[in-house]
Amino acid sequence: MPDGTADPRRRVPRTDALLADPVFAAAAGTLGRDRVKAAIVRAQQRARRGDITPEEVRDAALADLPAPAPRAVLNATGVVLHTNLGRAPLSAAAVEAMVAAAGHTDVELDLRTGRRARRGRDTLDALAAAVPDAAAVHVVNNGAAALVLAATALAADAEIVVSRGELVEIGDGFRLPDLLESTGARLREVGTTNRTTRADYAAAIGPRTGFVLKVHPSNFLVTGFTSAVPVRELATLGVPVVADIGSGLLAPDPLLPDEPDSASTLRAGAALVTASGDKLLGGPQAGLLLGDADLVERLRRHPLARALRADKLTLAALAATLHAPTTPTREALHADPAVLRERAERLRDRLGEDGRKAEVVPCVSVVGGGGAPGVELDSWALSLPERYAEPLRTGEPPVLGRVLHGRLLLDLRCVPAEADGTIRAAVLRVGD
Ligand SMILES: *Cc1c(COP(=O)(O)O)cnc(C)c1O
């Protein structure tokens, strides 16, 4: 018969001791002491039943705590704007601005006069200053909302003339034509999948036309026997041209020569440009509307605008993004491959014994997130056996790579340099 000290149940850690553990103390701060204590008690009970060992109680209780959702992850996929990973990461300045705006804020108040002011005026001023070609600007919840507002306010009982080559699916089953028709606008499709001419548009334009829509097919390429009509020519048709440029570049980026930007599109004659805030602009999820003052005013005044309005956190983050000299997205896009290689080599060297399983290999990153589909960016990755993929993905923090030919590639392009140590620790935890 085993004596008392050998009884494993006596080794179950005490509730007080666990509650004093910094990890549980921190959790009690965010989740409340009762919830944390309940998780500890459940883990202790499992140990007393013999389901787990006393040594496993701490981790079992931790695992039982509600995880923050969504969780922060490290993007080592090499996809700069990964839709499943939240597209653009915010800059430190944008995060700071959001935190500052989280409480009561002057989002709709002029502190000098004490009167109500235009919602998010600082953000709108920053956007207008960033794109002087826009006579007026407006911000809504996301790119799709910008398009819906334009269609509803400018073409609800009218026709939107659009090329068959530009009726794209944005992703996750959402298709632009369905979105536009949900507003009550009728689509007047012109041309064919691969070729549309100015004459096709001209023949379709009439008294029922609300506007001509130009969509940048941001997530696919049509090559070969193709023809599309640039905004400059559409602008001569005598009706407003609304251009959905998608990615939200404010000015041209030489790295992405085929990516349209707001300034150039307006200068080419678009009456209105719609774009996303969380793609190449590198800001929060938002829909940008830029262009003609009368049109923007009609959108702003439309009842639907109230349902699509951006929240104060978005407005704060967007203003900070517009003021900042750069963004994490821009830094990732323009990262120097030689520097990425050095980081990957240092990471491998610092893995010690585990470094033998790792190789440093060249790879290709992409823009992703509905942007620049043909662009390939030279990069460098730490390559590990494929079996590392799952434990790294399910670890804390989750590290997401890309599996290629039986290897897990950790592309460092979108990983902040200060997170290299976190990747090292995560790889070492997987061990053998
Ligand atoms: C991404 C995209 C949209 C949708 O924008 P969201 O901000 O995701 O709503 C619409 N049109 C184009 C061309 C896009 O690239």
Side-chain angles (χ1 to χ4, degrees), residues 87 142-145 147 168 170 176 215-218 244-247 275-279 285-286 369-370:
R87 287 193 189 154
N142 63 2
L147 214 48
V168 301
I170 313 171
L176 222 55
V215 181
H216 175 58
S218 51
D244 174 18
I245 64 165
S247 83
S276 294
D278 57 352
K279 293 183 181 172
Q285 177 187 304

Side-chain angles (χ1 to χ4, degrees), residues 214-308:
K214 175 79 181 169
V215 181
H216 175 58
S218 51
N219 51 12
F220 72 101
L221 284 178
V222 184
T223 58
F225 184 53
T226 67
S227 117
V229 186
V231 169
R232 188 172 298 287
E233 278 180 46
L234 295 178
T236 62
L237 290 165
V239 292
V241 176
V242 175
D244 174 18
I245 64 165
S247 83
L249 271 188
L250 299 181
D253 185 334
L255 188 71
L256 309 169
D258 297 325
E259 211 43 38
D261 65 277
S262 302
S264 311
T265 307
L266 288 169
R267 240 175 281 148
L272 201 62
V273 164
T274 71
S276 294
D278 57 352
K279 293 183 181 172
L280 291 171
L281 179 61
Q285 177 187 304
L288 315 182
L289 288 147
L290 310 98
D292 180 82
D294 290 341
L295 292 188
V296 171
E297 190 57 16
R298 275 169 71 187
L299 304 186
R300 241 171 47 76
R301 295 260 160 239
H302 193 280
L304 186 63
R306 179 63 177 75
L308 305 176

